[in-house]
Amino acid sequence: MGHTGAVWCVDADWDTKHVLTGSADNSCRLWDCETGKQLALLKTNSAVRTCGFDFGGNIIMFSTDKQMGYQCFVSFFDLRDPSQIDNNEPYMKIPCNDSKITSAVWGPLGECIIAGHESGELNQYSAKSGDVLVNVKEHSRQINDIQLSRDMTMFVTASKDNTAKLFDSTTLEHQKTFRTERPVNSAALSPNYDHVVLGGGQEAMDVTTTSTRIGKFEARFFHLAFEEEFGRVKGHFGPINSVAFHPDGKSYSSGGEDGYVRIHYFDPQYFEFEFEA
């Protein structure tokens, strides 16, 4: 317990000693994973939408929403400097004037963060200078989710424009597009195969206005190189909000608006499946 509002984001460091959470109660908090003890409380002017540890677990970043007259900021704190935490003074704070950040992850080696915006833009911000290193706009609507590949060379974005797209982490060069008929809320890359899983459906507020039979709430599997769909998994009776592969690639989980998290273990034929080019 600790937060008094919705928790929008959560991230654990590489050895799972600490966990970082960002919430609509205008705070970002650091916890001890083992005991649940709160180690740090960073107060903000608006809701914290995204948060994350860098590769080494020493530096954290989080972004706040543009609301109540406050603009969107990305803040960086070095956990090795207690004065930053005690005084609630980040070593760097980057303003995002145009469009708020809806999803953000650390780039390779913790040198930058990759941020997706409400406008569909992608920015790469330097973690040292705060400069925008690269800016691209391949999506026409809000980016809901960004997930990196295991080796951090690529990442996949999920957008309200009904597509997920694959990008190069360093150059932000657009490489592949996976198309659906519904908004994509989340997308994840398999650690072992050239597979990507997409989850989505309608906007949560539209769900009650349509028949459950036409919900289209399946998780959808695409081949990374050929951009072709090769499988669907039913189960959720509401939009899927998040998907993730197990680090060993043998299962994946999905969390839905229906209040369930489903863990799916792949059948033997999934591992034997050969794509016919």
Side-chain angles (χ1 to χ4, degrees):
M1 297 298 287
H3 283 296
T4 55
V7 178
W8 286 125
C9 53
V10 56
D11 188 39
D13 58 3
W14 65 277
D15 55 1
T16 330
K17 282 210 170 78
H18 302 120
V19 68
L20 191 65
T21 54
S23 164
D25 66 6
N26 298 3
S27 76
C28 184
R29 297 171 194 237
L30 182 71
W31 313 82
D32 182 300
C33 253
E34 208 170 342
T35 62
K37 182 170 176 273
Q38 183 174 300
L39 303 174
L41 165 62
L42 303 166
K43 291 202 162 111
T44 57
N45 291 325
S46 54
V48 177
R49 181 66 52 181
T50 66
C51 66
F53 286 97
D54 77 336
F55 203 61
N58 292 320
I59 296 176
I60 60 165
M61 66 87 185
F62 59 83
S63 73
T64 54
D65 275 357
K66 184 176 177 178
Q67 67 191 103
M68 302 183 298
Y70 293 103
Q71 67 185 87
C72 164
F73 282 101
V74 192
S75 300
F76 293 83
F77 285 85
D78 191 325
L79 299 177
R80 294 164 296 191
D81 179 0
S83 66
Q84 290 183 23
I85 307 294
D86 297 344
N87 304 329
N88 200 5
E89 278 188 11
Y91 75 81
M92 190 165 67
K93 198 170 175 180
I94 309 170
C96 309
N97 305 336
D98 306 332
S99 173
K100 81 165 188 185
I101 290 175
T102 47
S103 183
V105 292
W106 279 92
L109 305 175
E111 289 173 351
C112 63
I113 66 160
I114 298 161
H117 294 257
E118 203 169 28
S119 60
E121 270 182 274
L122 272 173
N123 278 329
Q124 207 182 56
Y125 294 101
S126 164
K128 300 194 170 53
S129 66
D131 297 337
V132 175
L133 304 173
V134 196
N135 166 272
V136 295
K137 189 167 191 301
E138 292 288 343
H139 284 292
S140 56
R141 297 189 64 199
Q142 175 176 315
I143 294 171
N144 292 324
D145 187 29
I146 299 176
Q147 292 196 36
L148 288 156
S149 61
R150 172 181 260 177
D151 62 5
M152 292 185 141
T153 56
M154 305 179 292
F155 64 92
V156 64
T157 55
S159 168
K160 278 189 180 175
D161 67 8
N162 301 2
T163 67
K165 291 178 189 265
L166 187 74
F167 293 88
D168 180 285
S169 301
T170 315
T171 62
L172 296 199
E173 190 185 339
H174 171 232
Q175 293 174 333
K176 300 286 176 184
T177 300
F178 312 100
R179 296 179 195 287
T180 69
E181 319 71 61
R182 301 287 164 115
V184 185
N185 295 335
S186 185
L189 296 162
S190 164
N192 321 7
Y193 295 95
D194 288 336
H195 296 166
V196 55
V197 60
L198 272 53
Q202 301 140 287
E203 301 270 340
M205 60 189 194
D206 299 334
V207 172
T208 50
T209 60
T210 52
S211 156
T212 50
R213 285 197 306 281
I214 58 163
K216 299 270 199 295
F217 302 135
E218 305 105 331
R220 301 170 68 158
F221 284 81
F222 284 78
H223 192 281
L224 198 64
F226 303 123
E227 304 178 330
E228 280 183 38
E229 187 179 350
F230 65 85
R232 293 188 186 191
V233 179
K234 289 189 168 68
H236 286 286
F237 46 91
I240 294 173
N241 290 333
S242 56
V243 288
F245 274 96
H246 190 285
D248 67 10
K250 292 179 182 170
S251 59
Y252 84 97
S253 59
S254 53
E257 196 70 32
D258 55 10
Y260 286 92
V261 173
R262 292 172 168 268
I263 302 172
H264 302 262
Y265 293 92
F266 295 121
D267 303 321
Q269 58 260 42
Y270 170 83
F271 303 105
E272 291 152 17
F273 169 68
E274 290 285 329
F275 214 92
E276 288 175 18

